[in-house]
Amino acid sequence: MGELRKPFLLLALLAVALVVGLELGSSLLTGGGDAGGALLTSAQDLGVDVGDVGRISEPSGRGTGYLALVDVVALWTTGLFCLSLVLPDRVQGRVQGVATLIFSILLILGSLVLLVIAFVELSVMVSLFLAVPFGTLAYLALWGFFPVGEASLLLGLVLLLKLLWGGLLLLAQPRFLQNKGLVLLVLTTLLCTVVLEFLHRLVPVIVVSILDDVGALVFAVVAIIWGLVLLIGSIPAIVKALRVTTTLSTH
């Protein structure tokens, strides 16, 4: 790794770990607010009397949580860099290839399952929203009144941590800029975060959940692509490790 500055690398690992943690916990950090009053107002606008609707909760959405599918790749990559601090190059090469192969397969399978879940939910959302008026009211009760403000604060913090992660990697080893795959990964995760914030601000609040789910679908696809990249990239490392092992065993 050359002139690797260990403290900055470890701080970069911490930053990206916080990113993934915030994204996975987004359902607990956003949503859950009372949207009953907003539902009554929308029902009146549609000319429908829904009576006492009780407490209707704001949805937390899937988009921010699905960002973790992409950012876990960043966490894994940074973790492999840190692994070089404690393992010899020969051992690291063998462990890295096999571990990355397993990780990429799990990432692809998990992303595929979550992709199907998000697609089914999106289909239900759109079907209900277009079934005016009662289907629309059912949609509003389940997914309307997205907490755009709370989600924006969380995404802002996530974006800040991602920029910090990229900066710390650069401080740890300026030659990381020559790693095209790493640069592309940094740009991908930053772009996904900005795109999700854009989607949340693009349409009226009652249909933000639909675009949030669209974002989740996109992130699942992006994660599958990165999983395939890792899968393909792990094969040469495994082959090389097998060759070394075979050579050592014949001597």
Side-chain angles (χ1 to χ4, degrees):
M1 297 292 291
E3 303 168 354
L4 184 63
R5 300 178 180 89
K6 299 178 183 180
F8 290 118
L9 182 58
L10 294 175
L11 287 174
L13 179 64
L14 176 61
V16 73
L18 287 175
V19 166
V20 175
L22 286 172
E23 291 168 347
L24 291 177
S26 61
S27 60
L28 300 176
L29 298 173
T30 61
D34 187 8
L39 176 60
L40 285 173
T41 301
S42 297
Q44 292 171 359
D45 292 340
L46 293 172
V48 178
D49 182 13
V50 294
D52 185 9
V53 297
R55 189 180 186 278
I56 302 298
S57 297
E58 294 175 325
S60 58
R62 292 187 179 272
T64 305
Y66 273 51
L67 270 176
L69 293 173
V70 180
D71 293 328
V72 74
V73 179
L75 177 60
W76 178 263
T77 303
T78 309
L80 290 180
F81 291 149
C82 292
L83 194 62
S84 66
L85 302 177
V86 295
L87 291 180
D89 291 340
R90 180 181 298 179
V91 177
Q92 181 192 0
R94 298 177 183 178
V95 172
Q96 179 176 330
V98 176
T100 300
L101 177 66
I102 297 173
F103 170 76
S104 61
I105 292 174
L106 292 176
L107 177 63
I108 292 171
L109 293 177
S111 299
L112 282 172
V113 172
L114 292 175
L115 177 67
V116 172
I117 292 174
F119 179 77
V120 171
E121 184 179 65
L122 179 62
S123 300
V124 174
M125 282 184 182
V126 174
S127 298
L128 286 176
F129 183 76
L130 295 178
V132 179
F134 297 106
T136 305
L137 288 173
Y139 163 83
L140 292 177
L142 293 172
W143 294 294
F145 322 111
F146 192 89
V148 175
E150 295 176 16
S152 180
L153 288 174
L154 182 58
L155 288 174
L157 178 57
V158 165
L159 182 60
L160 178 62
L161 286 171
K162 289 181 180 182
L163 291 172
L164 180 62
W165 163 65
L168 288 169
L169 284 179
L170 189 59
L171 290 173
Q173 177 54 270
R175 283 184 290 178
F176 279 147
L177 280 175
Q178 300 174 7
N179 188 328
K180 296 180 180 179
L182 179 60
V183 172
L184 183 59
L185 178 58
V186 173
L187 293 177
T188 299
T189 183
L190 290 175
L191 180 61
C192 286
T193 308
V194 173
V195 166
L196 184 59
E197 173 65 16
F198 173 75
L199 291 176
H200 286 173
R201 300 287 183 175
L202 184 62
V203 294
V205 65
I206 62 173
V207 289
V208 169
S209 288
I210 293 178
L211 287 191
D212 181 77
D213 233 49
V214 171
L217 286 173
V218 172
F219 302 151
V221 172
V222 171
I224 292 172
I225 294 173
W226 273 106
L228 292 173
V229 170
L230 292 177
L231 177 64
I232 296 172
S234 69
I235 295 175
I238 294 175
V239 172
K240 182 178 179 180
L242 290 174
R243 288 179 178 175
V244 172
T245 302
T246 303
T247 301
L248 292 176
S249 63
T250 56
H251 287 77

